[in-house]
Amino acid sequence: EMDLSVVVPVKDEEENIAPLIDEICAALDGLCQYEIVYVDDGSTDETWKSLVALSQGLSQLKIIRHRKSYGQSNAIHTGVKAARSSVIVTLDGDGQNDPADIPRLVEVFNAPNRPSDLQLVIGHRIKRRDSWVKRASARVANGVRGYLLKDRTPDTGCGLKLFPRKIFLGLPFFDHMHRFLPALILRSGGAIVSVEVNHRPRKYGRSHYGIWDRLWVGIVDLFGVMWLQRRSKVAEIEEVRNFEN
C-alpha cells in the first residue's frame, strides 16, 4: 500500500520542475513508499514537456494536465482524487516550500501523543523569503481571517500541508478553498497542528497572485466560509449497537 502521495499543483513553472522533484525524492527515499502527483493547471510554457520527460524515467511520478487553467484549488482537488495513498502532502510548485520538511510533518501526524482527531498538519513559515509587500499583505490577511474564522492557524497560506485523503474529499469544495482548509477542518470537528517549516526565495519564474486578487477574492470567500461555519453541526454519537442474528 502506498504510504504517501505528494500533490504539487503547477502553472508555468518549467524551470522549477526538475529541481523540486529531485528534492522530493531525496526527502522521501528510504522513508516510505510514495508517489508524486503533479497537476499542470493549463501552463503555456514548457512545464508539461518537462513533466513528460521526467515521468519516463521516474516510476513514482504521475502527471495530469488540465485543458485550461482552473485555479490552484481545482488543481489540488484533481491531484488528491488521483492519488493512491490515504495520506496526502501538498506543497507549492514554485520551490519556496522545502521538501526536506515533509518527514517532520509525517512524524507529527504519526506521533503517539498526537490529538486523537488530528486531521491537518500545516506548515508555519516563521521567516518568509518574500518581498515586504507580500509579507505585509499576508500578515493582514492572516490576521483578518484568524479573527473572523477563529481557525487557530498562524499561517493558513502555507502550501505545505498533510491531511487524510478521505477527510479532504469530504469537505465542501469551492474555488480558492485551499486558503481556508484549517477553518473547514475545524468545522468538520477535526484538530490542527502547525509545524515550523523552512521558506525559500523564489529562484525562477514569477508569482501568479497579485495583492488585489488575494484581497477581493479572499473577502468574498471569507464571508462564504463564515456562512458555512454558522450552518455547521457535528453530531456526537453516544452509542452504536450491532445486532447479529
Side-chain angles (χ1 to χ4, degrees):
E1 183 179 352
M2 190 68 60
D3 292 318
L4 194 66
S5 293
V6 181
V7 174
V8 188
V10 287
K11 184 176 185 296
D12 296 335
E13 297 286 2
E14 57 179 310
E15 294 176 293
N16 289 310
I17 300 297
L20 187 58
I21 290 177
D22 285 345
E23 288 187 292
I24 295 172
C25 292
L28 298 181
D29 281 348
L31 178 70
C32 62
Q33 295 292 320
Y34 68 93
E35 66 174 351
I36 307 170
V37 184
Y38 260 76
V39 181
D40 181 359
D41 187 40
S43 294
T44 57
D45 65 356
E46 300 299 309
T47 291
W48 181 247
K49 287 186 178 180
S50 297
L51 287 170
V52 170
L54 288 167
S55 67
Q56 295 174 4
L58 186 63
S59 60
Q60 298 99 316
L61 180 60
K62 177 187 294 184
I63 58 175
I64 304 168
R65 187 181 191 184
H66 282 170
R67 185 181 300 275
K68 62 179 182 179
S69 179
Y70 294 96
Q72 188 172 353
S73 283
N74 273 284
I76 293 172
H77 202 256
T78 294
V80 173
K81 286 192 296 183
R84 292 185 292 160
S85 174
S86 61
V87 180
I88 306 293
V89 166
T90 64
L91 70 158
D92 293 336
D94 57 11
Q96 291 193 260
N97 295 141
D98 190 346
D101 287 316
I102 296 177
R104 173 60 177 156
L105 269 65
V106 173
E107 179 185 358
V108 170
F109 184 72
N110 291 326
N113 61 342
R114 71 173 195 167
S116 59
D117 54 352
L118 181 60
Q119 295 180 6
L120 175 65
V121 182
I122 182 172
H124 180 195
R125 298 164 292 181
I126 299 293
K127 296 181 179 180
R128 293 194 58 170
R129 305 300 183 181
D130 289 318
S131 67
W132 71 268
V133 176
K134 285 189 68 175
R135 293 198 305 270
S137 61
R139 190 175 298 114
V140 171
N142 276 317
V144 171
R145 186 183 294 115
Y147 176 77
L148 293 177
L149 298 182
K150 305 295 189 295
D151 58 14
R152 303 197 292 271
T153 305
D155 188 9
T156 60
C158 182
L160 194 55
K161 301 179 177 75
L162 182 151
F163 48 81
R165 178 178 182 271
K166 182 179 179 179
I167 294 297
F168 179 86
L169 294 178
L171 296 174
F173 176 74
F174 54 90
D175 199 12
H176 307 290
M177 73 163 290
H178 68 280
R179 300 177 182 177
F180 300 95
L181 196 55
L184 295 172
I185 290 290
L186 290 174
R187 174 183 176 271
S188 69
I192 301 169
V193 173
S194 293
V195 177
E196 292 186 14
V197 296
N198 187 27
H199 192 240
R200 309 182 293 192
R202 176 186 268 273
K203 288 186 177 181
Y204 309 108
R206 61 181 180 82
S207 175
H208 303 296
Y209 296 100
I211 296 175
W212 295 110
D213 295 335
R214 291 176 184 267
L215 177 62
W216 296 118
V217 173
I219 288 175
V220 173
D221 292 336
L222 183 61
F223 285 109
V225 175
M226 291 174 65
W227 181 87
L228 286 172
Q229 286 180 324
R230 290 197 300 270
R231 300 301 187 273
S232 174
K233 289 184 179 180
V234 178
E236 295 184 7
I237 297 174
E238 180 176 354
E239 185 177 0
V240 176
R241 294 191 183 187
N242 182 24
F243 296 96
E244 298 181 356
N245 294 327

